[in-house]
Amino acid sequence: MRLFDSHAHLDMTRGGMDGVATLLDNAWAEGLVGILTIAGATKTGGYDDTFNIAENDSRIWVAAGIHPHSASRATPDALDSLRFVLDRDRVVALGEIGLDYYYNHSEPAVQRRAFISQLKMARDAKLPVVIHTRDADNDTIAILRDEGAQEIGGVIHCFSSDQKLAGAVLDMGFYLSFSGIVTFPGAIPVQEVAATAPEDRILAETDSPFLSPIPFRGKVNEPARVRCIVDKLAELRDVDPEEIGRITVENTARCFGISI
Ligand SMILES: [Zn+2]
Ligand SMILES: [Zn+2]
C-alpha cells in the first residue's frame, strides 16, 4: 500500500522532535511515501519548527501561508516574510489560506483581504494553493473566480461541504482532499462528493493532530491514519484500497509538482 498524507501539521506534534520521530516511524511503516506539512498555521506563529522537521527527511514537503484564523496578523511585514519563505527548499505550495466563518477568529473582511493577497502572491510565485474554507462557500468561490484561481491551481483541503462547492472548484481545476470527516456517519454530503468526484482529483489527508478518523475519533491524530481515509474512500467508491492509495499518491504528486 502506497499512501500520501496531503495535509498535516507536524509542527504541532507533542513531545518535540522525539514525538515527531515516533510519528514519522509509524507513518513510513504504514506505507506513506510522503507528507505535506503546513507551516505557519499555529497561533504562536513561525515557520522554523516546520523547516527543522522537513530538512531532516526528503519525504516531507512544506506549504507555508497565513491561516484564515490568523488573518488579522497578515500585515505587510508578515506577507513579506512569507514571500521570503516561499523560496525555501521543500516548499511546494502556499497555504493554508482561505476563509473560516465558523470560528471567525479574524473579521470576515480581514480574512478576505488576507486570502486575496496570498492568492496574488501564489500566482507571482507560481505555486499552487492549499485552501481552507468553512461556512464560507459562496465567498470562497467568488474570490477564487475573481482572482483567476484556475491559473493558480491547488486543493480544497479537509473537504467538508457538498456537491455545489465541489462542482465549482473542480471546474476551476482544483483537487479535493478528504480528511477524517469523510469517515463520520453524519457526513453524508461529503461522502457523496467522495464517492463521485473524478478519480484524478481526489487526495487523502489527516489534518493531524486534528480530526482523527473513525475508529480513532477524539484521539490525537497522526499521518499514519491516512490509511483510514483511503479505506473509506475505497469503500465509498467500491474500489480496492490499494488502488485508492496509488491514485491519491499520484494525484498529490501532480497537484504539487512533486516527483516521488
Ligand atoms: Zn484547515
Ligand atoms: Zn490544516
Side-chain angles (χ1 to χ4, degrees):
M1 175 81 95
R2 279 163 67 81
L3 300 161
F4 201 121
D5 184 356
S6 77
H7 191 112
H9 295 270
L10 294 178
D11 62 343
M12 294 185 188
T13 307
R14 287 184 197 164
M17 289 305 257
D18 286 346
V20 173
T22 306
L23 171 157
L24 291 177
D25 283 347
N26 296 344
W28 314 138
E30 189 70 65
L32 274 78
V33 296
I35 299 170
L36 178 68
T37 189
I38 310 298
T42 56
K43 290 218 166 45
T44 45
Y47 303 105
D48 289 351
D49 288 352
T50 297
F51 285 102
N52 288 339
I53 297 166
E55 277 158 5
N56 283 322
D57 198 314
S58 61
R59 293 166 288 190
I60 300 171
W61 286 269
V62 176
I66 300 171
H67 193 284
H69 289 345
S70 309
S72 57
R73 293 192 285 127
T75 58
D77 275 357
L79 290 167
D80 275 349
S81 4
L82 172 60
R83 197 171 287 116
F84 180 74
V85 163
L86 295 180
D87 281 336
R88 290 185 66 163
D89 205 23
R90 318 295 305 159
V91 174
V92 293
L94 197 161
E96 56 191 288
I97 60 173
L99 304 172
D100 193 317
Y101 295 170
Y102 179 79
Y103 285 110
N104 270 330
H105 286 319
S106 292
E107 287 290 320
V110 173
Q111 293 189 42
R112 289 192 288 273
R113 226 168 14 245
F115 185 24
I116 292 168
S117 307
Q118 292 181 92
L119 284 169
K120 293 185 193 305
M121 195 185 295
R123 175 189 290 282
D124 291 345
K126 298 189 168 51
L127 286 173
V129 285
V130 176
I131 307 280
H132 169 114
T133 178
R134 187 156 182 203
D135 285 2
D137 290 6
N138 290 343
D139 282 4
T140 296
I141 293 167
I143 288 174
L144 289 175
R145 285 194 181 134
D146 285 354
E147 294 304 316
Q150 178 134 26
E151 292 131 44
I152 299 169
V155 61
I156 305 297
H157 109 85
C158 194
F159 188 85
S160 52
S161 189
D162 53 20
Q163 297 283 14
K164 183 178 166 234
L165 176 67
V169 298
L170 286 168
D171 277 352
M172 288 186 260
F174 273 70
Y175 292 79
L176 309 177
S177 182
F178 296 93
S179 67
I181 290 177
V182 78
T183 68
F184 300 167
I188 307 297
V190 176
Q191 291 170 353
E192 282 169 5
V193 174
T196 55
E199 181 181 279
D200 60 352
R201 301 288 193 85
I202 54 171
L203 310 186
E205 68 169 78
T206 59
D207 204 11
S208 57
F210 312 110
L211 277 176
S212 252
I214 284 175
F216 302 102
R217 194 168 181 180
K219 303 209 172 100
V220 176
N221 201 4
E222 60 174 89
R225 295 191 187 143
V226 76
R227 172 68 194 264
C228 304
I229 317 303
V230 163
D231 285 344
K232 185 67 187 185
L233 291 172
E235 176 197 318
L236 289 166
R237 299 172 72 91
D238 197 18
V239 179
D240 191 56
E242 297 264 349
E243 178 69 359
I244 297 290
R246 188 186 63 74
I247 289 165
T248 51
V249 169
E250 266 178 24
N251 292 347
T252 307
R254 192 180 332 106
C255 177
F256 298 114
I258 290 171
S259 42
I260 296 172

